[in-house]
């Protein structure tokens, strides 16, 4: 059995970000911890290539992996009325997972306190002395056992926790090239509601231009269940041809995903020395699906605690007030009390961009939240807020991750 101060399970955004922060050089008084990062061998357990977006002012820690960024965001209502907002001093940034993994991987290779292993983790067993034993097997089935003082598990939960509202943000995107120069590389179409709206929830187009001829174009729904691949392709074909009028396009690659939008309580600890991080630790903002920026805040806090010699329990990724507001919105969307397309377009139209982005990051003050609340359908939201405390939390019927 080998040993490590810190063992990280999973090498997605959360696992890599934490390993990267813990790889920083220590001091003679407090050396850097020994870190083992375990990721599954190539195969079905590895997540597919994916894209992460976030907003940030100035130069960021991972700018070398940013494939594109934009100074402006735009929303378009179902009638074609658009609102374009400049978000300076921030920029909306896009990172491809391959680029992020390559950037962080180069740094980790040069840090002697970090080791990496390819293995499938079978179980994590807490031990009487407060440490934990991780049992795994490599691609050939050879066993691997590691004893660690702290374990951080970033694997998505197999089943979603009980909740009052279960929705999903599910999507498919095409990286495509057009024959004509049709895109504006300075503007992201964040939510284009000129898509057929589903009976429950909402749908929208999402356009991330990388040049005049290339973009990532996604069809996204907030709803109770994902679609079939054929349904996504039909929706994307309708959006690119009929709504955007792109003309002939060549699809270079595609990506798809399902993100839980729920008021479930994600446990950040499963044993005295075992913690969950990333999506598994509640880093996803329930009402928007954004995760990457919260992962950075969460892993930075863990690294600071470890460097200070304190118990590295991951802090909540989002405040109690932010989660409460999200619970109200999700319930209002699920019950149809608010029109989702109208709600989000009005929000972007009526709230100044700096305040709105702080709100979406959960960094606004109470008086700012109240001011934003007055720009929403007040009576349906109040009715929903009043009923939430009386609703039971139930498991999702049949969706396991």
């Amino acid at each position: 059995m080998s040993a490590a101060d810190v063992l990280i399970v999973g090498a997605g955004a959360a696992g890599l970000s934490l390993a990267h922060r813990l790889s920083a050089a220590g001091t003679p008084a407090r050396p850097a911890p020994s870190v083992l990062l375990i990721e599954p061998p190539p195969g079905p357990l590895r997540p597919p290539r994916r894209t992460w977006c976030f907003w940030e002012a100035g130069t960021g820690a991972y700018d070398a992996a940013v494939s594109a960024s934009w100074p402006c965001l735009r929303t378009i209502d179902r009638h074609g009325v658009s609102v374009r907002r400049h978000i300076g001093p921030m920029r909306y940034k896009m990172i491809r997972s391959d680029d992020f993994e390559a950037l962080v991987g180069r740094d980790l290779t040069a840090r002697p306190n970090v080791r990496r292993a390819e293995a499938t983790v079978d179980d994590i067993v807490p031990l009487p002395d407060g440490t934990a034993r991780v049992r795994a097997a490599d691609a050939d089935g050879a066993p691997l056992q590691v004893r660690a003082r702290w374990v951080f598990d970033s694997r998505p939960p197999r089943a979603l926790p009980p909740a009052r509202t279960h929705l999903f943000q599910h999507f498919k995107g095409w990286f495509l090239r057009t024959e004509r120069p049709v895109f504006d590389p300075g503007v992201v179409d964040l939510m284009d509601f000129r898509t057929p709206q589903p009976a429950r929830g909402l749908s929208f187009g999402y356009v991330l231009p990388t040049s005049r001829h290339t973009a990532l174009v996604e069809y996204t729904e907030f709803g109770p269940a994902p679609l079939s691949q054929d349904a996504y392709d039909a929706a994307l074909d309708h959006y690119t041809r009929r709504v955007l009028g792109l003309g002939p396009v060549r699809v270079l690659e595609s990506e798809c995903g399902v993100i839980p939008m729920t008021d479930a309580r994600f446990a950040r600890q499963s044993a005295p020395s075992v913690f969950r991080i990333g999506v598994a630790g509640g880093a996803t903002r329930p009402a928007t699906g954004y995760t990457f920026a919260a992962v950075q805040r969460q892993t930075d806090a863990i690294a600071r605690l470890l460097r200070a010699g304190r118990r590295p329990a991951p802090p909540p990724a989002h405040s109690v007030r932010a989660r409460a507001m999200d619970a109200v919105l999700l319930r209002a969307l699920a019950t149809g009390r608010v029109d989702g397309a109208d709600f989000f377009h009005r929000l972007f139209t009526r709230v100044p961009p700096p305040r709105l982005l702080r709100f979406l990051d959960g960094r606004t003050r109470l008086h700012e939240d109240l001011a934003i609340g007055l720009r929403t359908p007040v009576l349906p939201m109040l009715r929903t807020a009043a009923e939430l405390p009386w609703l039971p939390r139930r498991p999702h019927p049949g969706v396991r991750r």
Side-chain angles (χ1 to χ4, degrees), residues 48-53 67 93-97 171 175 206 208 216 218 255:
R49 191 181 189 194
R50 55 225 182 272
T51 299
W52 300 309
C53 289
S67 55
K93 299 181 178 183
M94 177 173 75
I95 289 181
R96 304 289 314 271
S97 60
F171 60 89
F175 290 86
Y206 179 45
L208 298 150
L216 168 59
E218 288 186 356
E255 69 173 30

Side-chain angles (χ1 to χ4, degrees), residues 77-239:
D77 74 8
R78 67 188 75 199
H79 306 295
V81 177
S82 67
V83 176
R84 173 173 168 162
R85 312 299 293 268
H86 191 277
I87 63 171
M90 296 189 184
R91 291 184 72 90
Y92 193 78
K93 299 181 178 183
M94 177 173 75
I95 289 181
R96 304 289 314 271
S97 60
D98 281 3
D99 298 328
F100 182 76
E101 290 163 9
L103 174 67
V104 173
R106 286 193 295 270
D107 285 351
L108 296 183
T109 300
R111 306 292 170 84
N113 65 311
V114 178
R115 295 175 292 148
R116 302 183 69 167
E118 289 188 352
T120 301
V121 171
D122 295 319
D123 60 16
I124 302 172
V125 181
L127 300 176
D129 63 356
T131 63
R133 181 178 65 230
V134 176
R135 291 192 286 218
D138 67 15
D140 297 322
L144 170 67
Q145 290 196 63
V146 184
R147 185 185 185 119
R149 177 67 187 93
W150 306 109
V151 176
F152 296 92
D153 190 352
S154 68
R155 296 172 297 174
R158 293 185 60 196
L160 295 173
R164 294 166 296 192
T165 305
H166 289 284
L167 293 176
F168 296 93
Q169 179 183 150
H170 52 95
F171 60 89
K172 183 171 184 178
W174 288 342
F175 290 86
L176 52 79
R177 175 178 291 277
T178 62
E179 292 183 355
R180 297 182 293 112
V182 294
F183 299 115
D184 181 349
V187 182
V188 167
D189 284 336
L190 194 66
M191 287 181 155
D192 182 349
F193 295 108
R194 293 175 294 171
T195 51
Q197 294 300 309
R200 291 181 61 191
L202 69 149
S203 72
F204 56 90
Y206 179 45
V207 182
L208 298 150
T210 51
S211 75
R212 297 285 291 168
H213 289 269
T214 56
L216 168 59
V217 179
E218 288 186 356
Y219 173 81
T220 301
E221 283 193 14
F222 295 176
L227 307 179
S228 68
Q229 291 299 310
D230 287 344
Y232 286 122
D233 288 337
L236 276 166
D237 182 68
H238 174 270
Y239 182 61

Side-chain angles (χ1 to χ4, degrees), residues 83 85 345-352 355 374-376:
V83 176
R85 312 299 293 268
H345 184 71
R346 287 173 60 185
L347 202 63
F348 277 87
T349 301
R350 300 181 180 187
V351 179
R355 180 182 299 174
L374 292 174
R375 288 164 171 80
T376 67

